[in-house]
Amino acid sequence: MRIALAVNGSVHTLDVEPRASLLDALRDGVGLTGAKLGCERGECGTCTVLVRGRPIYSCLALACESQHVPIETIEGLANPPEQLHPIQRAFVAADALQCGFCTPGQILSATALLRDNPRPTDAEIKRAMAGNLCRCGTYPKIRKAIQAVTRASPRPSGRPAVRPSE
């Protein structure tokens, strides 16, 4: 079937099997390989992307049901593309990645959290990140990176620390 996916501000028309996952469509159809195939059961978070600004497991979402809604992947987070997003810079500075397999999903979940809650508590960070597993165990550094973004710069009241990419 022919579908249209709105990914990172561009529309991509693809021919996919009706049972194709959003992850498969992004990786094989659009060529965006930042989201990884991990468990295929929605338990690890390596396939996390943002749909309508919310983190989802793209391995569990059907591509055909993801049409005409804004989808963000790790490849579209930086704006402009050659400049890292603040949360990406914070992950590097805090050494919050080791093998890097889970990093795109971790960063996208953190982005969604900070858009909704620019000053999360440690408990709120742990809760928001609970759906993303890290095989290397860098959880304290991941929390440190998220906390660093919340402290990075003064913001006017009601303005999120991390803004959606334009």
Side-chain angles (χ1 to χ4, degrees):
M1 69 187 299
R2 184 162 287 241
I3 65 170
L5 297 178
V7 184
N8 300 329
S10 299
V11 176
H12 302 269
T13 303
L14 311 168
D15 291 317
V16 298
E17 293 289 327
R19 68 179 186 272
S21 70
L22 176 57
L23 177 64
D24 290 338
L26 291 170
R27 290 180 63 81
D28 300 333
V30 182
L32 299 174
T33 58
K36 307 289 189 254
L37 178 61
C39 66
E40 258 184 305
R41 294 186 309 239
E43 294 177 359
C44 71
T46 61
C47 66
T48 300
V49 298
L50 302 181
V51 174
R52 293 187 183 104
R54 314 273 11 117
I56 68 154
Y57 298 132
S58 63
C59 72
L60 297 181
L62 290 175
C64 63
E65 292 180 349
S66 304
Q67 295 188 84
H68 312 297
V69 296
I71 300 167
E72 286 179 86
T73 68
I74 193 69
E75 293 90 347
L77 192 58
N79 189 17
E82 59 279 350
Q83 180 179 337
L84 292 179
H85 187 276
I87 193 69
Q88 290 171 311
R89 287 194 306 270
F91 265 63
V92 171
D95 195 25
L97 53 127
Q98 285 185 27
C99 77
F101 195 72
C102 73
T103 304
Q106 298 277 0
I107 288 174
L108 287 170
S109 290
T111 298
L113 166 65
L114 293 173
R115 285 178 183 169
D116 285 346
N117 182 359
R119 297 226 185 256
T121 64
D122 195 53
E124 290 168 330
I125 293 170
K126 286 179 185 178
R127 188 171 35 259
M129 302 304 291
N132 295 82
L133 301 180
C134 175
R135 296 173 183 181
C136 302
T138 52
Y139 300 112
K141 292 179 179 183
I142 290 168
R143 286 193 306 275
K144 180 181 175 185
I146 296 168
Q147 291 163 345
V149 173
T150 68
R151 295 185 303 267
S153 63
R155 295 174 304 284
S157 175
R159 192 148 191 200
V162 179
R163 291 184 295 281
S165 36
E166 319 229 5

